[in-house]
């Protein structure tokens, strides 16, 4: 009987795989011919993998073919079911490259209102204000960074399978409508042990990225409240040393069976996607841009004081200046607000905290660079950029000073 069950199981697996191959070929043919009824039927049972499977002779996915042949209703169906926008065919083109009409092109773009929420800040919005910490002391900013590192630096120890399991257990992500594509991507990350699918899930327009950033805001980050320099240095050094103590402790605890009790899903997710910075294709150095609407009095405060901006969340920026400006131009400000372009310099000291994700983003045309939380940026200059007729805030990272500060502290107390 055991042998009989094994044979039946094997036959069932073969039949299932054969049906998936047939469905994949059928979907490709239906998308090419414009058979929307057939496409709708196949989408009810087809897997995420088969939905995005390419024709081996051309590299075209069903989405490539539907777009190329102008079947706009089929394109809309495929996108709603999670068809990947960023797969390259053998001609090194993504499906959007074949969109020939304005209406078709818009299907591949994020809705304007959603783009503004991601890429344009608003200093009158309470939720936006909570995402940043404005500090007047470089020591406070350094301490902010080190405290954040003490909480997050160990997360790279967790593998992708554990991360996905933690995401599946997260109470905040349960029963949230519109997360089907996100869950499919999480499953792909688990099956292929590939963190790129976790990043793509962040770029999907859903509640997931908003919930993640809300949780990051809630992280309690300490900052020094003393004005005595030596005491500030002592506090900063304590935080620096504490980071290693916590990391070593958690590394030891990670050997336990139930790792879910040690670090929550936010830490696991952040640590796992952070591993992508070690892959050359995702590393970024240079200038990247983000829009903001600001009140005049706030800009005056920024310009009259030496300030450091520390972000508590992931920040979406674009390495394409024109795209960032378009997001500002398309937005509608409140009364008495001024359009501002924030220019971030990502240097060699900051590159381990920023990743170029445009090749794996759901919306590659945004040319997104994702900046991790915790980085202290100094406001270097605020002034009118006459080329774009807009106020520009130039922000430079101060991480290059962290190691020098550590050496200074050691010299004083040893």
């Amino acid at each position: 009987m055991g042998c009989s069950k094994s044979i039946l199981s094997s036959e069932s697996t073969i039949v299932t795989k054969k049906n998936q191959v047939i469905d994949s070929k059928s979907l490709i043919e239906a998308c090419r011919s414009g058979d929307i009824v057939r496409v709708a039927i196949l989408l009810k049972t087809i897997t995420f993998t088969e939905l995005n499977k390419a024709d081996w002779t051309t590299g075209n996915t069903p989405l490539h073919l539907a777009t190329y042949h102008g079947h706009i209703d089929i394109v809309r169906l495929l996108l709603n079911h999670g068809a990947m926008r960023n797969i390259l065919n053998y001609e090194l083109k993504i499906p959007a490259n074949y969109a020939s009409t304005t209406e078709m092109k818009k299907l591949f773009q994020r809705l304007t209102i959603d783009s503004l929420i991601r890429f344009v800040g608003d200093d009158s919005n309470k939720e936006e204000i909570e995402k940043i910490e404005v500090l007047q002391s470089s020591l406070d900013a350094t301490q902010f960074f080190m405290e954040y590192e003490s909480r997050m630096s160990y997360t790279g120890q967790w593998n992708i399978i554990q991360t996905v399991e933690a995401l599946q257990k997260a109470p905040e992500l349960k029963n949230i409508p519109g997360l089907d594509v996100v869950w499919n991507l999480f499953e792909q990350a688990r099956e292929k042990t590939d963190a790129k699918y976790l990043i793509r899930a962040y770029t999907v327009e859903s509640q997931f990225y908003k919930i993640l950033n809300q949780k990051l805001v809630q992280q309690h980050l300490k900052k020094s409240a003393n004005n005595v320099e030596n005491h500030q240095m002592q506090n900063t050094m304590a935080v620096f040393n504490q980071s290693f103590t916590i990391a070593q402790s958690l590394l030891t605890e990670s050997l336990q069976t139930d790792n879910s009790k040690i670090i929550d899903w936010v830490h696991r997710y952040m640590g796992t996607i952070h591993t992508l910075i070690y892959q050359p294709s995702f590393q970024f150095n240079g200038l990247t841009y983000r829009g903001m609407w600001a009140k005049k009095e706030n800009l005056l405060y920024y310009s009259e004081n030496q300030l450091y901006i520390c972000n508590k969340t992931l920040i979406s920026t674009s390495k394409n200046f024109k795209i960032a400006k378009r997001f500002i131009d398309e937005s509608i400000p409140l009364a008495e607000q001024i359009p501002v372009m924030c220019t971030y310099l990502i240097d060699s000291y900051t590159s381990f905290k920023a990743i170029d994700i445009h090749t794996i983003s759901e919306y590659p045309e945004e040319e997104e660079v994702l900046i991790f939380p915790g980085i202290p940026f100094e406001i270097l200059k605020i002034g009118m950029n006459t080329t774009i007729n807009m106020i520009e805030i130039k922000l430079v990272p101060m991480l290059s000073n962290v190691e020098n500060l550590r050496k200074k502290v050691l010299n004083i107390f040893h």
Side-chain angles (χ1 to χ4, degrees), residues 138-154:
S138 62
L139 289 173
D140 284 350
T142 301
Q143 184 168 338
F144 182 101
F145 169 72
M146 289 180 173
E147 170 65 15
Y148 188 87
E149 285 299 289
S150 74
R151 295 171 180 269
M152 301 297 284
S153 61
Y154 54 81

Side-chain angles (χ1 to χ4, degrees), residues 14 18 42 46 48 53 81 147 171-172 187 243 259 270 278 286 317 343 351 359:
I14 292 170
K18 184 177 179 181
L42 291 171
I46 205 165
F48 183 81
K53 190 170 184 178
H81 279 78
E147 170 65 15
E172 298 92 342
E187 192 56 38
S243 68
N259 289 332
M270 295 294 291
Y278 302 109
T317 68
T343 301
S351 59
T359 58

Side-chain angles (χ1 to χ4, degrees), residues 321 325 329 341 384-392:
F321 177 87
K325 186 176 184 303
D329 292 340
M341 179 66 76
M384 174 62 71
N385 184 325
T386 55
T387 303
I388 60 173
N389 194 31
M390 188 179 295
I391 298 292
E392 182 179 20

Side-chain angles (χ1 to χ4, degrees), residues 141-156 219-222 239-248 250 267 270-271 274 277-278 311 349-350 352-354 372-376 399 402:
T142 301
Q143 184 168 338
F144 182 101
F145 169 72
M146 289 180 173
E147 170 65 15
Y148 188 87
E149 285 299 289
S150 74
R151 295 171 180 269
M152 301 297 284
S153 61
Y154 54 81
T155 54
Q219 299 292 332
H220 177 66
L221 301 175
K222 298 178 181 178
V239 175
F240 186 90
N241 290 329
Q242 181 189 37
S243 68
F244 293 101
T245 303
I246 294 175
Q248 290 172 350
L250 288 168
H267 294 100
M270 295 294 291
H274 187 261
I277 65 168
Y278 302 109
N311 299 292
Y349 292 96
T350 322
F352 74 102
K353 286 293 187 180
F372 279 75
I375 303 177
L399 293 188
V402 172

Side-chain angles (χ1 to χ4, degrees), residues 139-208:
L139 289 173
D140 284 350
T142 301
Q143 184 168 338
F144 182 101
F145 169 72
M146 289 180 173
E147 170 65 15
Y148 188 87
E149 285 299 289
S150 74
R151 295 171 180 269
M152 301 297 284
S153 61
Y154 54 81
T155 54
Q157 300 294 330
W158 305 110
N159 64 37
I160 293 173
I161 293 175
Q162 291 173 327
T163 298
V164 174
E165 289 175 350
L167 288 164
Q168 291 174 333
K169 295 177 182 177
E172 298 92 342
L173 302 180
K174 292 186 181 298
N175 303 318
I176 303 295
L179 290 191
D180 292 348
V181 174
V182 170
W183 287 118
N184 276 329
L185 290 168
F186 288 163
E187 192 56 38
Q188 288 297 300
R190 182 216 295 270
E191 290 179 5
K192 300 180 180 180
T193 59
D194 190 341
K196 291 194 293 291
Y197 288 95
L198 296 179
I199 281 283
R200 182 170 177 250
Y202 182 86
T203 69
V204 170
E205 197 53 49
S206 72
Q207 287 297 312
F208 170 68

Side-chain angles (χ1 to χ4, degrees), residues 1-245:
M1 290 294 290
C3 180
S4 175
K5 285 184 177 180
S6 177
I7 292 172
L8 288 173
S9 177
S10 297
E11 289 179 346
S12 175
T13 300
I14 292 170
V15 170
T16 299
K17 289 183 176 179
K18 184 177 179 181
N19 287 339
Q20 287 178 349
V21 172
I22 291 172
D23 284 348
S24 179
K25 289 182 177 179
S26 298
L27 182 62
I28 285 176
E29 291 303 321
C31 288
R32 179 184 286 114
S33 65
D35 188 346
I36 191 170
V37 174
R38 180 64 176 158
V39 170
I41 292 172
L42 291 171
L43 288 177
K44 292 179 180 179
T45 57
I46 205 165
T47 66
F48 183 81
T49 300
E50 296 302 318
L51 170 62
N52 294 292
K53 190 170 184 178
D55 183 336
W56 69 273
T57 62
T58 62
N60 287 325
T61 64
L63 186 58
H64 277 97
L65 292 168
T67 307
Y68 178 83
H69 290 283
H71 304 312
I72 191 168
D73 291 330
I74 292 179
V75 170
R76 188 178 288 109
L77 266 180
L78 294 173
L79 291 174
N80 288 341
H81 279 78
M84 296 181 68
R85 292 169 162 84
N86 55 8
I87 296 177
L88 294 171
N89 63 10
Y90 296 162
E91 295 181 347
L92 301 182
K93 291 185 177 181
I94 59 175
N97 294 145
Y98 295 108
S100 58
T101 67
T102 301
E103 187 178 4
M104 182 78 82
K105 290 176 182 178
K106 285 184 177 180
L107 290 181
F108 289 92
Q109 298 173 357
R110 206 185 296 275
L111 293 176
T112 299
I113 183 62
D114 295 326
S115 297
L116 303 184
I117 293 172
R118 279 188 188 256
F119 289 93
V120 180
D122 181 351
D123 72 357
S124 66
N125 185 304
K126 182 181 178 181
E127 290 184 3
E128 288 292 315
I129 294 172
E130 290 176 345
K131 291 179 181 179
I132 64 172
E133 191 86 10
V134 180
L135 303 170
Q136 293 183 325
S137 162
S138 62
L139 289 173
D140 284 350
T142 301
Q143 184 168 338
F144 182 101
F145 169 72
M146 289 180 173
E147 170 65 15
Y148 188 87
E149 285 299 289
S150 74
R151 295 171 180 269
M152 301 297 284
S153 61
Y154 54 81
T155 54
Q157 300 294 330
W158 305 110
N159 64 37
I160 293 173
I161 293 175
Q162 291 173 327
T163 298
V164 174
E165 289 175 350
L167 288 164
Q168 291 174 333
K169 295 177 182 177
E172 298 92 342
L173 302 180
K174 292 186 181 298
N175 303 318
I176 303 295
L179 290 191
D180 292 348
V181 174
V182 170
W183 287 118
N184 276 329
L185 290 168
F186 288 163
E187 192 56 38
Q188 288 297 300
R190 182 216 295 270
E191 290 179 5
K192 300 180 180 180
T193 59
D194 190 341
K196 291 194 293 291
Y197 288 95
L198 296 179
I199 281 283
R200 182 170 177 250
Y202 182 86
T203 69
V204 170
E205 197 53 49
S206 72
Q207 287 297 312
F208 170 68
Y209 89 94
K210 297 176 183 178
I211 294 171
L212 173 66
N213 281 325
Q214 286 169 359
K215 294 290 289 183
L216 287 170
V217 167
Q218 294 168 10
Q219 299 292 332
H220 177 66
L221 301 175
K222 298 178 181 178
K223 62 179 181 179
S224 171
N226 297 290
N227 294 321
V228 182
E229 184 176 358
N230 281 357
H231 190 58
Q232 285 181 317
M233 288 184 178
Q234 287 177 327
N235 287 345
T236 301
M237 192 60 191
V239 175
F240 186 90
N241 290 329
Q242 181 189 37
S243 68
F244 293 101
T245 303

